[in-house]
Short mmCIF file of all heavy atoms in Angstrom, two decimals:
data_model
loop_
_atom_site.label_atom_id
_atom_site.label_comp_id
_atom_site.label_asym_id
_atom_site.label_seq_id
_atom_site.Cartn_x
_atom_site.Cartn_y
_atom_site.Cartn_z
N PRO A 13 125.99 116.66 62.74
CA PRO A 13 125.26 117.54 63.66
C PRO A 13 124.21 118.36 62.89
O PRO A 13 124.54 119.07 61.95
CB PRO A 13 126.36 118.44 64.23
CG PRO A 13 127.48 118.37 63.25
CD PRO A 13 127.32 117.14 62.42
N GLY A 14 122.95 118.21 63.28
CA GLY A 14 121.89 118.97 62.64
C GLY A 14 121.56 120.19 63.47
O GLY A 14 121.56 120.13 64.70
N LEU A 15 121.30 121.31 62.80
CA LEU A 15 120.92 122.52 63.52
C LEU A 15 119.45 122.49 63.87
O LEU A 15 119.01 123.18 64.78
CB LEU A 15 121.22 123.76 62.66
CG LEU A 15 122.69 124.01 62.30
CD1 LEU A 15 122.80 125.15 61.30
CD2 LEU A 15 123.46 124.34 63.56
N VAL A 16 118.67 121.71 63.10
CA VAL A 16 117.23 121.66 63.32
C VAL A 16 116.88 120.27 63.82
O VAL A 16 117.15 119.28 63.15
CB VAL A 16 116.47 121.96 62.01
CG1 VAL A 16 114.97 121.90 62.26
CG2 VAL A 16 116.88 123.31 61.45
N PRO A 17 116.29 120.17 65.02
CA PRO A 17 115.96 118.85 65.57
C PRO A 17 115.08 118.06 64.60
O PRO A 17 114.13 118.60 64.04
CB PRO A 17 115.19 119.19 66.85
CG PRO A 17 115.60 120.57 67.21
CD PRO A 17 115.92 121.26 65.93
N GLY A 18 115.40 116.79 64.42
CA GLY A 18 114.61 115.93 63.55
C GLY A 18 114.94 116.06 62.08
O GLY A 18 114.33 115.40 61.25
N ARG A 19 115.85 116.94 61.73
CA ARG A 19 116.20 117.12 60.32
C ARG A 19 117.72 117.12 60.14
O ARG A 19 118.31 118.10 59.70
CB ARG A 19 115.60 118.43 59.77
CG ARG A 19 114.09 118.38 59.67
CD ARG A 19 113.55 119.66 59.07
NE ARG A 19 114.03 119.90 57.73
CZ ARG A 19 113.44 119.46 56.62
NH1 ARG A 19 112.34 118.75 56.69
NH2 ARG A 19 113.95 119.74 55.44
N ASP A 20 118.33 116.00 60.49
CA ASP A 20 119.77 115.88 60.27
C ASP A 20 120.06 115.82 58.78
O ASP A 20 119.33 115.18 58.04
CB ASP A 20 120.29 114.62 60.97
CG ASP A 20 120.29 114.78 62.48
OD1 ASP A 20 120.23 115.94 62.94
OD2 ASP A 20 120.31 113.76 63.19
N PRO A 21 121.12 116.50 58.37
CA PRO A 21 121.37 116.58 56.92
C PRO A 21 122.07 115.34 56.37
O PRO A 21 122.78 114.64 57.09
CB PRO A 21 122.29 117.80 56.80
CG PRO A 21 122.98 117.88 58.10
CD PRO A 21 122.05 117.32 59.14
N ARG A 23 124.35 114.95 52.99
CA ARG A 23 124.87 115.73 51.85
C ARG A 23 125.98 114.97 51.15
O ARG A 23 126.88 114.43 51.77
CB ARG A 23 125.38 117.09 52.30
CG ARG A 23 124.30 117.92 52.97
CD ARG A 23 124.62 119.40 53.02
NE ARG A 23 123.52 120.07 53.70
CZ ARG A 23 123.57 120.47 54.98
NH1 ARG A 23 124.67 120.33 55.67
NH2 ARG A 23 122.52 121.05 55.53
N ARG A 26 126.70 117.87 45.28
CA ARG A 26 125.62 118.81 45.03
C ARG A 26 124.30 118.34 45.62
O ARG A 26 123.35 119.11 45.75
CB ARG A 26 125.44 119.00 43.52
CG ARG A 26 126.43 120.00 42.92
CD ARG A 26 126.57 119.79 41.41
NE ARG A 26 125.29 119.85 40.72
CZ ARG A 26 124.71 120.97 40.33
NH1 ARG A 26 125.29 122.12 40.56
NH2 ARG A 26 123.56 120.96 39.68
N PHE A 27 124.25 117.05 45.95
CA PHE A 27 123.01 116.50 46.46
C PHE A 27 122.86 116.80 47.95
O PHE A 27 123.82 116.71 48.71
CB PHE A 27 122.99 114.98 46.25
CG PHE A 27 121.82 114.31 46.90
CD1 PHE A 27 120.61 114.19 46.24
CD2 PHE A 27 121.91 113.81 48.20
CE1 PHE A 27 119.53 113.59 46.84
CE2 PHE A 27 120.82 113.21 48.81
CZ PHE A 27 119.63 113.11 48.13
N SER A 28 121.66 117.20 48.35
CA SER A 28 121.42 117.33 49.78
C SER A 28 119.98 116.95 50.10
O SER A 28 119.08 117.14 49.29
CB SER A 28 121.71 118.76 50.26
OG SER A 28 120.82 119.67 49.67
N GLY A 29 119.80 116.37 51.25
CA GLY A 29 118.47 115.98 51.68
C GLY A 29 118.47 115.79 53.18
O GLY A 29 119.49 116.00 53.84
N VAL A 30 117.31 115.39 53.71
CA VAL A 30 117.22 115.14 55.14
C VAL A 30 117.42 113.65 55.39
O VAL A 30 116.88 112.81 54.65
CB VAL A 30 115.84 115.58 55.68
CG1 VAL A 30 115.72 115.24 57.15
CG2 VAL A 30 115.66 117.07 55.45
N ARG A 32 116.57 110.49 56.90
CA ARG A 32 115.41 109.94 57.60
C ARG A 32 115.61 108.44 57.79
O ARG A 32 115.25 107.63 56.94
CB ARG A 32 114.14 110.21 56.80
CG ARG A 32 113.86 111.71 56.62
CD ARG A 32 112.39 111.97 56.32
NE ARG A 32 112.13 113.35 55.96
CZ ARG A 32 111.82 114.30 56.83
NH1 ARG A 32 111.74 114.02 58.11
NH2 ARG A 32 111.58 115.53 56.42
N ARG A 175 88.30 126.83 37.91
CA ARG A 175 89.40 127.72 38.33
C ARG A 175 90.35 126.96 39.25
O ARG A 175 90.54 127.30 40.40
CB ARG A 175 88.85 128.98 39.02
CG ARG A 175 88.43 130.03 37.99
CD ARG A 175 88.06 131.35 38.66
NE ARG A 175 86.67 131.45 38.93
CZ ARG A 175 86.15 132.00 40.03
NH1 ARG A 175 86.94 132.48 40.96
NH2 ARG A 175 84.86 132.09 40.19
N VAL A 244 111.34 113.10 41.26
CA VAL A 244 111.73 114.50 41.03
C VAL A 244 110.58 115.43 41.43
O VAL A 244 110.77 116.43 42.11
CB VAL A 244 112.13 114.72 39.56
CG1 VAL A 244 112.22 116.19 39.23
CG2 VAL A 244 113.46 114.02 39.27
N HIS A 247 109.33 116.65 45.29
CA HIS A 247 109.71 117.87 45.99
C HIS A 247 108.60 118.92 45.91
O HIS A 247 108.23 119.56 46.89
CB HIS A 247 111.00 118.41 45.39
CG HIS A 247 111.50 119.65 46.07
ND1 HIS A 247 111.87 120.77 45.38
CD2 HIS A 247 111.64 119.95 47.38
CE1 HIS A 247 112.25 121.69 46.25
NE2 HIS A 247 112.12 121.22 47.46
N VAL A 248 108.03 119.06 44.70
CA VAL A 248 106.92 120.00 44.50
C VAL A 248 105.67 119.50 45.24
O VAL A 248 104.92 120.27 45.83
CB VAL A 248 106.63 120.18 43.00
CG1 VAL A 248 105.48 121.14 42.80
CG2 VAL A 248 107.87 120.68 42.28
N GLY A 250 105.51 118.06 47.96
CA GLY A 250 105.59 118.50 49.35
C GLY A 250 104.99 119.87 49.54
O GLY A 250 104.27 120.13 50.50
N GLY A 251 105.27 120.78 48.61
CA GLY A 251 104.73 122.14 48.70
C GLY A 251 103.23 122.19 48.43
O GLY A 251 102.52 123.03 48.96
N GLN A 253 101.11 120.24 49.46
CA GLN A 253 100.33 119.72 50.58
C GLN A 253 99.63 120.82 51.35
O GLN A 253 98.69 120.58 52.09
CB GLN A 253 101.23 118.94 51.55
CG GLN A 253 101.79 117.69 50.96
CD GLN A 253 100.72 116.89 50.26
OE1 GLN A 253 99.84 116.34 50.88
NE2 GLN A 253 100.76 116.86 48.94
N PHE A 254 100.10 122.05 51.19
CA PHE A 254 99.44 123.17 51.86
C PHE A 254 98.35 123.68 50.93
O PHE A 254 98.18 123.19 49.83
CB PHE A 254 100.46 124.26 52.15
CG PHE A 254 101.65 123.74 52.90
CD1 PHE A 254 102.87 123.59 52.27
CD2 PHE A 254 101.54 123.38 54.23
CE1 PHE A 254 103.95 123.09 52.96
CE2 PHE A 254 102.62 122.88 54.91
CZ PHE A 254 103.84 122.73 54.29
N GLY A 255 97.63 124.67 51.35
CA GLY A 255 96.64 125.27 50.47
C GLY A 255 97.31 125.83 49.22
O GLY A 255 98.52 126.03 49.18
N ASP A 257 97.19 128.80 47.97
CA ASP A 257 97.80 130.12 48.17
C ASP A 257 99.20 129.98 48.75
O ASP A 257 100.14 130.64 48.29
CB ASP A 257 96.93 130.98 49.11
CG ASP A 257 95.78 131.63 48.36
OD1 ASP A 257 95.65 131.37 47.15
OD2 ASP A 257 95.02 132.38 48.99
N THR A 258 99.35 129.12 49.75
CA THR A 258 100.67 128.92 50.35
C THR A 258 101.64 128.36 49.31
O THR A 258 102.78 128.81 49.21
CB THR A 258 100.58 127.95 51.55
OG1 THR A 258 99.56 128.41 52.42
CG2 THR A 258 101.89 127.87 52.29
N ARG A 260 101.55 128.66 46.03
CA ARG A 260 101.92 129.70 45.07
C ARG A 260 102.91 130.67 45.70
O ARG A 260 103.85 131.12 45.06
CB ARG A 260 100.68 130.46 44.60
CG ARG A 260 99.80 129.64 43.70
CD ARG A 260 98.90 130.51 42.82
NE ARG A 260 98.17 129.65 41.90
CZ ARG A 260 96.99 129.09 42.18
NH1 ARG A 260 96.38 129.36 43.33
NH2 ARG A 260 96.40 128.29 41.33
N GLY A 261 102.67 130.98 46.98
CA GLY A 261 103.58 131.88 47.69
C GLY A 261 104.99 131.34 47.75
O GLY A 261 105.95 132.10 47.83
N LEU A 262 105.13 130.01 47.72
CA LEU A 262 106.45 129.39 47.74
C LEU A 262 107.06 129.30 46.35
O LEU A 262 108.13 128.73 46.17
CB LEU A 262 106.35 127.98 48.34
CG LEU A 262 106.01 127.91 49.83
CD1 LEU A 262 105.79 126.47 50.25
CD2 LEU A 262 107.12 128.55 50.65
N GLY A 263 106.36 129.85 45.36
CA GLY A 263 106.92 129.88 44.01
C GLY A 263 106.61 128.64 43.20
O GLY A 263 107.29 128.33 42.23
N ILE A 264 105.56 127.90 43.59
CA ILE A 264 105.18 126.70 42.85
C ILE A 264 104.12 127.06 41.82
O ILE A 264 103.14 127.73 42.14
CB ILE A 264 104.63 125.62 43.80
CG1 ILE A 264 105.74 125.17 44.74
CG2 ILE A 264 104.07 124.44 43.03
CD1 ILE A 264 105.26 124.29 45.88
N ARG A 265 104.34 126.64 40.56
CA ARG A 265 103.30 126.83 39.55
C ARG A 265 102.30 125.69 39.74
O ARG A 265 102.46 124.60 39.21
CB ARG A 265 103.90 126.85 38.15
CG ARG A 265 104.79 128.11 37.95
CD ARG A 265 105.23 128.25 36.52
NE ARG A 265 106.01 127.10 36.13
CZ ARG A 265 105.90 126.46 34.96
NH1 ARG A 265 105.04 126.88 34.07
NH2 ARG A 265 106.65 125.44 34.70
N PRO A 309 103.92 112.90 56.81
CA PRO A 309 102.64 113.60 56.77
C PRO A 309 101.89 113.40 55.45
O PRO A 309 100.79 113.89 55.29
CB PRO A 309 103.03 115.07 56.95
CG PRO A 309 104.43 115.16 56.47
CD PRO A 309 105.06 113.82 56.73
N ARG A 310 102.52 112.74 54.47
CA ARG A 310 101.81 112.46 53.22
C ARG A 310 102.36 111.15 52.65
O ARG A 310 103.43 110.71 53.07
CB ARG A 310 102.03 113.60 52.21
CG ARG A 310 103.43 113.63 51.67
CD ARG A 310 103.65 114.78 50.72
NE ARG A 310 105.05 115.16 50.69
CZ ARG A 310 105.95 114.62 49.87
NH1 ARG A 310 105.59 113.70 49.02
NH2 ARG A 310 107.20 114.99 49.91
N ARG B 63 96.09 139.64 48.38
CA ARG B 63 96.34 138.51 47.48
C ARG B 63 96.90 139.02 46.15
O ARG B 63 97.78 138.39 45.56
CB ARG B 63 95.06 137.70 47.24
CG ARG B 63 94.55 137.01 48.50
CD ARG B 63 93.38 136.08 48.20
NE ARG B 63 93.86 134.85 47.59
CZ ARG B 63 93.34 134.30 46.50
NH1 ARG B 63 92.30 134.86 45.92
NH2 ARG B 63 93.84 133.20 46.00
N ARG B 67 100.67 138.36 44.12
CA ARG B 67 100.45 137.73 42.81
C ARG B 67 99.61 136.45 42.86
O ARG B 67 99.71 135.59 41.99
CB ARG B 67 101.75 137.50 42.03
CG ARG B 67 102.93 136.73 42.64
CD ARG B 67 102.93 135.23 42.49
NE ARG B 67 104.16 134.61 42.92
CZ ARG B 67 104.47 134.34 44.19
NH1 ARG B 67 103.62 134.67 45.17
NH2 ARG B 67 105.61 133.75 44.48
N LEU B 68 98.74 136.34 43.90
CA LEU B 68 97.84 135.19 43.95
C LEU B 68 96.60 135.46 43.10
O LEU B 68 95.86 134.56 42.75
CB LEU B 68 97.41 134.89 45.39
CG LEU B 68 98.52 134.53 46.36
CD1 LEU B 68 97.95 134.28 47.75
CD2 LEU B 68 99.28 133.31 45.87
N THR B 88 107.39 133.01 38.90
CA THR B 88 106.81 132.95 40.25
C THR B 88 107.86 132.54 41.29
O THR B 88 107.82 132.98 42.44
CB THR B 88 105.59 132.00 40.26
OG1 THR B 88 104.97 132.06 41.53
CG2 THR B 88 105.97 130.55 39.95
N ALA B 92 109.09 134.54 44.66
CA ALA B 92 109.11 133.86 45.97
C ALA B 92 110.41 134.06 46.73
O ALA B 92 110.49 133.74 47.90
CB ALA B 92 108.82 132.37 45.79
N PRO B 99 98.98 133.24 54.11
CA PRO B 99 97.54 133.38 53.87
C PRO B 99 96.78 133.35 55.19
O PRO B 99 97.31 132.93 56.22
CB PRO B 99 97.19 132.16 53.03
CG PRO B 99 98.47 131.56 52.60
CD PRO B 99 99.50 131.98 53.60
N SER B 103 96.54 126.01 56.09
CA SER B 103 96.36 124.64 56.58
C SER B 103 97.60 123.81 56.27
O SER B 103 98.22 123.97 55.23
CB SER B 103 95.14 124.00 55.92
OG SER B 103 95.38 123.76 54.56
N PRO B 105 99.25 119.69 56.42
CA PRO B 105 98.83 118.30 56.53
C PRO B 105 99.01 117.77 57.96
O PRO B 105 99.93 118.18 58.67
CB PRO B 105 99.74 117.55 55.56
CG PRO B 105 100.76 118.52 55.10
CD PRO B 105 100.34 119.88 55.48
N GLU B 106 98.11 116.89 58.35
CA GLU B 106 98.13 116.29 59.67
C GLU B 106 99.47 115.58 59.91
O GLU B 106 99.95 114.88 59.03
CB GLU B 106 96.99 115.26 59.74
CG GLU B 106 96.44 114.99 61.10
CD GLU B 106 95.30 113.99 61.00
OE1 GLU B 106 94.38 114.23 60.18
OE2 GLU B 106 95.34 112.99 61.71
N LEU B 108 102.45 116.85 60.21
CA LEU B 108 103.65 117.57 59.78
C LEU B 108 104.30 118.24 60.99
O LEU B 108 103.62 118.91 61.76
CB LEU B 108 103.27 118.63 58.74
CG LEU B 108 104.42 119.35 58.07
CD1 LEU B 108 105.04 118.46 56.99
CD2 LEU B 108 103.96 120.66 57.45
N GLY B 111 109.45 121.61 62.37
CA GLY B 111 110.69 121.69 61.60
C GLY B 111 110.46 121.48 60.12
O GLY B 111 111.00 122.20 59.28
N ASP B 112 109.62 120.49 59.77
CA ASP B 112 109.34 120.23 58.36
C ASP B 112 108.53 121.36 57.74
O ASP B 112 108.74 121.74 56.59
CB ASP B 112 108.60 118.89 58.21
CG ASP B 112 109.52 117.70 58.43
OD1 ASP B 112 110.74 117.91 58.50
OD2 ASP B 112 109.02 116.56 58.55
N LEU B 113 107.59 121.91 58.51
CA LEU B 113 106.79 123.04 58.00
C LEU B 113 107.69 124.22 57.67
O LEU B 113 107.66 124.76 56.57
CB LEU B 113 105.74 123.46 59.03
CG LEU B 113 104.97 124.74 58.67
CD1 LEU B 113 103.91 124.45 57.63
CD2 LEU B 113 104.34 125.39 59.89
N SER B 115 110.82 124.31 57.17
CA SER B 115 111.75 123.99 56.09
C SER B 115 111.13 124.16 54.71
O SER B 115 111.82 124.43 53.73
CB SER B 115 112.25 122.56 56.24
OG SER B 115 112.87 122.40 57.50
N ARG B 116 109.80 123.99 54.63
CA ARG B 116 109.11 124.20 53.35
C ARG B 116 109.28 125.63 52.85
O ARG B 116 109.19 125.89 51.66
CB ARG B 116 107.62 123.88 53.49
CG ARG B 116 107.32 122.44 53.40
CD ARG B 116 107.51 121.91 51.99
NE ARG B 116 107.71 120.48 52.05
CZ ARG B 116 108.34 119.77 51.12
NH1 ARG B 116 108.84 120.35 50.06
NH2 ARG B 116 108.49 118.48 51.25
N GLY B 117 109.52 126.54 53.77
CA GLY B 117 109.75 127.93 53.37
C GLY B 117 110.96 128.07 52.46
O GLY B 117 111.09 129.05 51.73
N HIS B 119 111.56 126.34 49.92
CA HIS B 119 111.26 125.78 48.60
C HIS B 119 111.82 126.59 47.43
O HIS B 119 112.43 126.03 46.52
CB HIS B 119 109.75 125.57 48.45
CG HIS B 119 109.39 124.73 47.27
ND1 HIS B 119 109.29 125.23 45.99
CD2 HIS B 119 109.18 123.39 47.15
CE1 HIS B 119 109.00 124.26 45.16
NE2 HIS B 119 108.92 123.14 45.83
N PRO B 120 111.62 127.93 47.41
CA PRO B 120 112.13 128.67 46.25
C PRO B 120 113.65 128.61 46.10
O PRO B 120 114.16 128.94 45.03
CB PRO B 120 111.65 130.10 46.50
CG PRO B 120 111.11 130.14 47.86
CD PRO B 120 110.83 128.75 48.30
N GLN B 122 115.35 125.79 46.57
CA GLN B 122 115.73 124.38 46.45
C GLN B 122 115.45 123.82 45.07
O GLN B 122 114.79 124.44 44.24
CB GLN B 122 114.94 123.55 47.48
CG GLN B 122 115.30 123.88 48.92
CD GLN B 122 114.40 123.20 49.92
OE1 GLN B 122 113.25 122.88 49.60
NE2 GLN B 122 114.89 122.98 51.11
N ALA B 123 116.01 122.62 44.83
CA ALA B 123 115.67 121.83 43.64
C ALA B 123 115.48 120.41 44.13
O ALA B 123 115.77 120.10 45.28
CB ALA B 123 116.80 121.90 42.62
N TRP B 124 115.02 119.53 43.24
CA TRP B 124 114.71 118.17 43.70
C TRP B 124 115.93 117.47 44.25
O TRP B 124 115.82 116.61 45.12
CB TRP B 124 114.06 117.36 42.58
CG TRP B 124 114.98 117.09 41.42
CD1 TRP B 124 115.13 117.87 40.31
CD2 TRP B 124 115.88 116.00 41.27
NE1 TRP B 124 116.07 117.33 39.49
CE2 TRP B 124 116.55 116.17 40.04
CE3 TRP B 124 116.19 114.87 42.05
CZ2 TRP B 124 117.51 115.28 39.58
CZ3 TRP B 124 117.15 113.98 41.60
CH2 TRP B 124 117.79 114.19 40.37
N TYR B 125 117.11 117.81 43.78
CA TYR B 125 118.33 117.14 44.25
C TYR B 125 118.99 117.95 45.38
O TYR B 125 119.98 117.52 45.96
CB TYR B 125 119.33 116.96 43.10
CG TYR B 125 119.70 118.26 42.41
CD1 TYR B 125 120.74 119.05 42.89
CD2 TYR B 125 118.98 118.71 41.31
CE1 TYR B 125 121.06 120.24 42.30
CE2 TYR B 125 119.29 119.91 40.70
CZ TYR B 125 120.33 120.67 41.20
OH TYR B 125 120.63 121.87 40.61
N ARG B 126 118.48 119.14 45.65
CA ARG B 126 119.08 119.98 46.68
C ARG B 126 117.97 120.42 47.63
O ARG B 126 117.38 121.48 47.47
CB ARG B 126 119.75 121.20 46.02
CG ARG B 126 120.67 121.99 46.97
CD ARG B 126 121.27 123.20 46.28
NE ARG B 126 120.24 124.15 45.87
CZ ARG B 126 120.03 124.56 44.61
NH1 ARG B 126 120.79 124.13 43.65
NH2 ARG B 126 119.07 125.42 44.35
N GLN B 127 117.66 119.56 48.59
CA GLN B 127 116.50 119.82 49.43
C GLN B 127 116.86 120.22 50.86
O GLN B 127 115.98 120.51 51.65
CB GLN B 127 115.60 118.58 49.46
CG GLN B 127 115.03 118.25 48.11
CD GLN B 127 113.92 117.23 48.18
OE1 GLN B 127 113.32 117.02 49.22
NE2 GLN B 127 113.63 116.59 47.07
N TRP B 128 118.13 120.20 51.19
CA TRP B 128 118.49 120.55 52.57
C TRP B 128 119.94 120.97 52.59
O TRP B 128 120.79 120.31 53.18
CB TRP B 128 118.21 119.36 53.50
CG TRP B 128 118.19 119.65 54.97
CD1 TRP B 128 118.85 118.94 55.94
CD2 TRP B 128 117.50 120.69 55.66
NE1 TRP B 128 118.60 119.49 57.17
CE2 TRP B 128 117.77 120.56 57.05
CE3 TRP B 128 116.67 121.75 55.24
CZ2 TRP B 128 117.25 121.43 58.00
CZ3 TRP B 128 116.15 122.61 56.20
CH2 TRP B 128 116.44 122.44 57.55
N SER B 129 120.24 122.08 51.92
CA SER B 129 121.61 122.58 51.86
C SER B 129 121.98 123.22 53.19
O SER B 129 121.13 123.43 54.05
CB SER B 129 121.73 123.61 50.74
OG SER B 129 121.00 124.76 51.08
N ALA B 130 123.27 123.52 53.36
CA ALA B 130 123.72 124.17 54.59
C ALA B 130 123.01 125.52 54.76
O ALA B 130 122.65 125.90 55.88
CB ALA B 130 125.24 124.35 54.56
N GLU B 133 119.55 124.90 56.04
CA GLU B 133 119.56 124.50 57.44
C GLU B 133 119.75 125.71 58.37
O GLU B 133 119.03 125.87 59.36
CB GLU B 133 120.66 123.47 57.65
CG GLU B 133 120.50 122.69 58.92
CD GLU B 133 121.59 121.65 59.10
OE1 GLU B 133 122.44 121.50 58.20
OE2 GLU B 133 121.59 121.00 60.15
N VAL B 136 116.62 127.98 58.40
CA VAL B 136 115.51 127.42 59.17
C VAL B 136 115.81 127.51 60.67
O VAL B 136 114.94 127.90 61.47
CB VAL B 136 115.24 125.95 58.75
CG1 VAL B 136 114.27 125.28 59.72
CG2 VAL B 136 114.69 125.91 57.34
N ALA B 137 117.06 127.19 61.04
CA ALA B 137 117.43 127.26 62.46
C ALA B 137 117.26 128.69 62.97
O ALA B 137 116.73 128.93 64.06
CB ALA B 137 118.87 126.79 62.65
N LEU B 140 113.56 129.59 63.36
CA LEU B 140 112.98 128.97 64.55
C LEU B 140 113.42 129.71 65.81
O LEU B 140 112.65 129.85 66.76
CB LEU B 140 113.40 127.49 64.64
CG LEU B 140 112.74 126.55 63.64
CD1 LEU B 140 113.45 125.20 63.62
CD2 LEU B 140 111.27 126.36 63.99
N ALA B 149 110.45 122.05 67.50
CA ALA B 149 110.68 121.69 66.10
C ALA B 149 110.17 120.30 65.74
O ALA B 149 109.75 120.06 64.61
CB ALA B 149 112.17 121.79 65.77
N GLU B 150 110.18 119.37 66.70
CA GLU B 150 109.77 118.01 66.37
C GLU B 150 108.30 117.73 66.70
O GLU B 150 107.84 116.61 66.56
CB GLU B 150 110.68 116.99 67.09
CG GLU B 150 112.10 117.01 66.51
CD GLU B 150 113.02 115.98 67.12
OE1 GLU B 150 113.60 116.26 68.19
OE2 GLU B 150 113.15 114.90 66.53
N TRP B 165 104.02 129.28 61.48
CA TRP B 165 103.80 129.73 60.10
C TRP B 165 104.64 130.96 59.78
O TRP B 165 105.15 131.11 58.67
CB TRP B 165 102.31 130.01 59.86
CG TRP B 165 101.53 128.77 59.61
CD1 TRP B 165 100.78 128.08 60.53
CD2 TRP B 165 101.43 128.03 58.39
NE1 TRP B 165 100.23 126.97 59.94
CE2 TRP B 165 100.60 126.91 58.63
CE3 TRP B 165 101.96 128.21 57.12
CZ2 TRP B 165 100.28 125.98 57.65
CZ3 TRP B 165 101.65 127.29 56.13
CH2 TRP B 165 100.82 126.19 56.41
N MET B 168 108.00 129.92 58.96
CA MET B 168 108.11 129.42 57.58
C MET B 168 108.32 130.58 56.62
O MET B 168 109.20 130.53 55.74
CB MET B 168 106.84 128.66 57.22
CG MET B 168 106.81 128.17 55.79
SD MET B 168 105.23 127.34 55.48
CE MET B 168 105.38 126.95 53.76
N GLN B 172 111.90 131.59 54.37
CA GLN B 172 111.92 131.86 52.94
C GLN B 172 112.95 132.94 52.60
O GLN B 172 113.40 133.05 51.47
CB GLN B 172 110.50 132.26 52.49
CG GLN B 172 110.21 132.04 51.03
CD GLN B 172 108.74 132.28 50.71
OE1 GLN B 172 107.86 132.06 51.53
NE2 GLN B 172 108.47 132.74 49.50
#
Side-chain angles (χ1 to χ4, degrees):
Chain A
L15 297 173
V16 180
R19 291 182 61 89
D20 289 341
R23 301 198 181 102
R26 278 159 55 84
F27 173 87
S28 65
V30 177
R32 298 202 188 270
R175 277 188 267 141
V244 167
H247 182 229
V248 179
Q253 294 313 290
F254 307 107
D257 278 2
T258 308
R260 289 202 175 89
L262 292 173
I264 295 170
R265 293 188 299 137
R310 71 182 154 88
Chain B
R63 295 187 76 228
R67 54 87 171 81
L68 299 179
T88 186
S103 70
E106 206 178 309
L108 188 78
D112 286 349
L113 173 78
S115 302
R116 279 289 158 205
H119 193 278
Q122 294 172 334
W124 66 269
Y125 57 86
R126 193 182 63 238
Q127 296 192 20
W128 195 229
S129 68
E133 198 179 357
V136 170
L140 287 168
E150 291 184 276
W165 280 99
M168 177 182 177
Q172 203 172 329

